[in-house]
Coordinates of all heavy atoms in Angstrom, one line a residue:
L25 N 0.8 -1.2 0.0 CA 0.0 0.0 0.0 C 0.9 1.3 0.0 O 0.4 2.3 -0.3 CB -0.9 0.0 1.2 CG -2.0 -1.1 1.2 CD1 -2.8 -1.0 2.5 CD2 -2.9 -1.0 0.1
L26 N 2.1 1.1 0.4 CA 3.0 2.3 0.5 C 3.8 2.6 -0.8 O 4.2 3.7 -1.1 CB 4.0 2.1 1.6 CG 3.3 1.9 3.0 CD1 4.4 1.6 4.1 CD2 2.5 3.1 3.4
L27 N 4.0 1.5 -1.6 CA 4.8 1.6 -2.8 C 4.0 1.3 -4.0 O 3.1 0.4 -4.0 CB 6.1 0.8 -2.8 CG 7.0 1.0 -1.6 CD1 8.1 0.0 -1.6 CD2 7.6 2.4 -1.6
N28 N 4.3 1.9 -5.2 CA 3.6 1.6 -6.4 C 4.3 0.4 -7.1 O 5.3 -0.1 -6.6 CB 3.4 2.8 -7.3 CG 4.8 3.3 -7.8 OD1 5.8 2.7 -7.7 ND2 4.7 4.5 -8.3
A29 N 3.9 0.0 -8.3 CA 4.5 -1.1 -9.0 C 5.9 -0.9 -9.4 O 6.7 -1.8 -9.5 CB 3.7 -1.4 -10.3
A30 N 6.4 0.4 -9.5 CA 7.8 0.7 -9.8 C 8.6 0.8 -8.6 O 9.8 1.0 -8.7 CB 7.8 2.0 -10.6
G31 N 8.1 0.5 -7.4 CA 8.8 0.6 -6.2 C 9.0 2.0 -5.6 O 9.8 2.2 -4.7
Q32 N 8.3 2.9 -6.1 CA 8.4 4.3 -5.6 C 7.2 4.6 -4.7 O 6.2 4.0 -4.8 CB 8.3 5.3 -6.8 CG 9.5 5.1 -7.8 CD 9.2 5.7 -9.1 OE1 8.1 6.1 -9.4 NE2 10.2 5.9 -9.9
P33 N 7.4 5.5 -3.7 CA 6.3 5.9 -2.8 C 5.1 6.4 -3.6 O 5.2 7.1 -4.5 CB 6.9 7.0 -2.0 CG 8.4 6.9 -2.1 CD 8.6 6.3 -3.5
R34 N 3.9 5.9 -3.1 CA 2.7 6.3 -3.7 C 2.4 7.8 -3.4 O 2.6 8.3 -2.3 CB 1.5 5.5 -3.2 CG 1.6 4.0 -3.7 CD 0.3 3.3 -3.3 NE 0.4 1.9 -3.6 CZ 0.1 1.4 -4.8 NH1 -0.4 2.2 -5.7 NH2 0.2 0.1 -5.0
K35 N 1.8 8.5 -4.3 CA 1.4 9.9 -4.2 C 0.0 10.0 -3.6 O -0.3 11.0 -2.9 CB 1.5 10.6 -5.5 CG 2.9 10.7 -6.1 CD 2.9 11.4 -7.4 CE 4.3 11.4 -7.9 NZ 4.4 11.8 -9.3
E36 N -0.9 9.1 -3.8 CA -2.2 9.1 -3.3 C -2.5 7.8 -2.6 O -1.9 6.8 -2.8 CB -3.2 9.4 -4.4 CG -3.3 8.3 -5.4 CD -3.1 8.8 -6.8 OE1 -2.7 9.9 -7.0 OE2 -3.2 8.0 -7.7
K37 N -3.6 7.9 -1.7 CA -4.0 6.7 -0.9 C -4.6 5.7 -1.8 O -5.4 6.0 -2.8 CB -5.0 7.2 0.1 CG -5.3 6.1 1.1 CD -6.2 6.7 2.2 CE -6.7 5.6 3.1 NZ -7.6 6.1 4.2
V38 N -4.4 4.4 -1.6 CA -5.0 3.3 -2.3 C -6.4 3.1 -1.9 O -6.7 3.0 -0.7 CB -4.2 2.0 -2.1 CG1 -4.8 0.9 -2.9 CG2 -2.8 2.2 -2.6
R39 N -7.3 3.1 -2.8 CA -8.7 2.8 -2.5 C -9.0 1.3 -2.7 O -8.9 0.8 -3.8 CB -9.6 3.6 -3.5 CG -9.6 5.1 -3.1 CD -10.5 5.9 -4.0 NE -11.7 5.2 -4.4 CZ -12.6 5.5 -5.3 NH1 -12.4 6.6 -6.0 NH2 -13.6 4.8 -5.6
L40 N -9.4 0.7 -1.7 CA -9.8 -0.7 -1.7 C -11.2 -0.9 -2.3 O -12.1 -0.1 -1.9 CB -9.6 -1.4 -0.4 CG -8.2 -1.5 0.2 CD1 -8.3 -2.1 1.6 CD2 -7.4 -2.4 -0.7
P41 N -11.4 -1.9 -3.1 CA -12.8 -2.2 -3.5 C -13.7 -2.5 -2.3 O -13.2 -3.0 -1.3 CB -12.7 -3.4 -4.5 CG -11.2 -3.6 -4.6 CD -10.5 -2.9 -3.6
S42 N -15.0 -2.2 -2.5 CA -15.9 -2.5 -1.4 C -16.0 -3.9 -1.0 O -16.2 -4.3 0.1 CB -17.3 -1.9 -1.7 OG -17.8 -2.6 -2.9
S43 N -15.7 -4.9 -2.0 CA -15.8 -6.3 -1.7 C -14.7 -6.7 -0.7 O -14.9 -7.6 0.1 CB -15.7 -7.1 -2.9 OG -14.5 -6.8 -3.6
L44 N -13.5 -6.0 -0.7 CA -12.5 -6.3 0.2 C -12.6 -5.6 1.5 O -12.1 -5.9 2.5 CB -11.1 -5.9 -0.4 CG -10.7 -6.6 -1.6 CD1 -9.3 -6.1 -2.1 CD2 -10.5 -8.1 -1.3
Q45 N -13.5 -4.5 1.6 CA -13.7 -3.8 2.8 C -14.8 -4.5 3.6 O -15.1 -4.0 4.7 CB -14.1 -2.4 2.5 CG -13.0 -1.6 1.9 CD -13.5 -0.2 1.5 OE1 -14.6 0.2 1.6 NE2 -12.6 0.7 1.0
G46 N -15.5 -5.5 3.1 CA -16.5 -6.2 3.8 C -17.9 -5.6 3.7 O -18.8 -6.0 4.4
R47 N -18.1 -4.7 2.8 CA -19.4 -4.2 2.6 C -19.7 -4.2 1.1 O -18.8 -4.2 0.2 CB -19.5 -2.8 3.1 CG -18.6 -1.8 2.5 CD -18.8 -0.4 3.2 NE -17.8 0.5 2.7 CZ -17.9 1.2 1.6 NH1 -19.0 1.1 0.9 NH2 -16.9 2.0 1.2
K48 N -21.0 -4.2 0.7 CA -21.4 -4.2 -0.7 C -22.0 -2.8 -1.0 O -22.8 -2.3 -0.2 CB -22.4 -5.3 -0.9 CG -21.7 -6.7 -0.8 CD -22.5 -7.7 -1.6 CE -23.5 -8.4 -0.7 NZ -24.2 -9.4 -1.3
P49 N -21.7 -2.3 -2.2 CA -22.3 -1.1 -2.6 C -23.8 -1.3 -3.0 O -24.2 -2.4 -3.4 CB -21.5 -0.7 -3.9 CG -21.0 -1.9 -4.4 CD -20.8 -2.8 -3.2

């Protein structure tokens, strides 16, 4: 969650899909 695919620090927060958060839209 802290690094992107290139191994650099992420600029914005990662949004998890609602299915992984335990709730349904």
Side-chain angles (χ1 to χ4, degrees):
L25 295 176
L26 302 175
L27 303 175
N28 63 14
Q32 300 164 344
R34 293 188 184 271
K35 295 178 183 172
E36 64 238 8
K37 187 177 177 182
V38 176
R39 289 182 33 193
L40 291 175
S42 59
S43 60
L44 294 178
Q45 294 176 355
R47 60 182 174 86
K48 290 202 266 183

